[in-house]
Amino acid sequence: MRPVIGIPSRLLTVDGLVRSTMATTYTRALDRVGGAPILIPLQLGEDSLRAILARLDGILLAGGVDV
């Protein structure tokens, strides 16, 4: 069974709609090495985030100026 790896997404506004996004580079890389990537939308409430985190085998922090 593949380990489920969460990737915190970033928020992007396009045409007035706020979207959770992440570069496909990260999801493809995890898939190639045997992981099952899942995006984590950070605007969720604490209970929802805890429920997601409880089901993950790991987290990939993609980096950037805010990490």
Side-chain angles (χ1 to χ4, degrees), residues 8-61:
S9 62
R10 66 183 183 105
L11 296 178
L12 178 67
T13 303
V14 177
D15 297 328
L17 295 174
V18 180
R19 303 166 189 246
S20 292
T21 68
M22 178 49 59
T24 59
T25 306
Y26 298 105
T27 55
R28 285 187 200 148
L30 283 172
D31 181 59
R32 279 195 301 263
V33 299
I38 184 168
L39 294 183
I40 303 170
L42 296 180
Q43 73 278 11
L44 298 176
E46 185 177 338
D47 289 342
S48 292
L49 288 172
R50 287 185 185 278
I52 292 169
L53 294 175
R55 291 167 173 82
L56 298 178
D57 296 302
I59 298 176
L60 182 142
L61 299 177

